[in-house]
Amino acid sequence: MRICRSCGGRYEPIGRDGVRYFHACPPIVRVRVQRDGAELVVDRDQVRVTDTRLEDVVIDRPNHRNENVRGWGATARSSISDGDGASDEP
Ligand SMILES: [Zn+2]
């Protein structure tokens, strides 16, 4: 099991089907709400039942990791973004 140091995601580098998994961090999703006459962007767990939910706001994660490679076949190169790296689960 690997742990992504950018997002905390845990994943197996090889799936049960034997196919390699290339981790890519998910974006951060916050919510734009109207609260007491003002528009705010808040974390999803901070939305109140009295808020008017306007839209999700998708933000690229700083230092995101994307293990997918540039190019194809013999031209494939290094991962798209190393982010903060990954380590084996202790
Ligand atoms: Zn990640």
Side-chain angles (χ1 to χ4, degrees):
M1 182 73 70
R2 303 274 293 162
I3 300 173
C4 174
R5 285 190 231 127
S6 294
C7 72
R10 290 172 153 68
Y11 57 96
E12 293 291 348
I14 305 290
R16 290 183 186 171
D17 57 3
V19 176
R20 177 147 187 240
Y21 171 75
F22 296 89
H23 174 74
C25 296
I28 297 169
V29 180
R30 301 185 80 204
V31 182
R32 185 181 315 279
V33 298
Q34 189 161 28
R35 178 183 297 167
D36 300 328
E39 276 191 24
L40 306 169
V41 176
V42 299
D43 291 338
R44 289 193 284 190
D45 62 352
Q46 300 298 312
V47 176
R48 299 176 183 169
V49 294
T50 55
D51 290 340
T52 300
R53 190 178 179 123
L54 301 174
E55 64 179 344
D56 287 347
V57 178
V58 178
I59 304 165
D60 285 336
R61 184 177 300 275
N63 257 355
H64 78 280
R65 180 172 178 77
N66 186 342
E67 296 176 349
N68 290 289
V69 295
R70 298 178 196 279
W72 181 256
T75 64
R77 298 210 171 100
S78 61
S79 61
I80 292 173
S81 173
D82 290 335
D84 291 335
S87 57
D88 290 325
E89 190 172 56

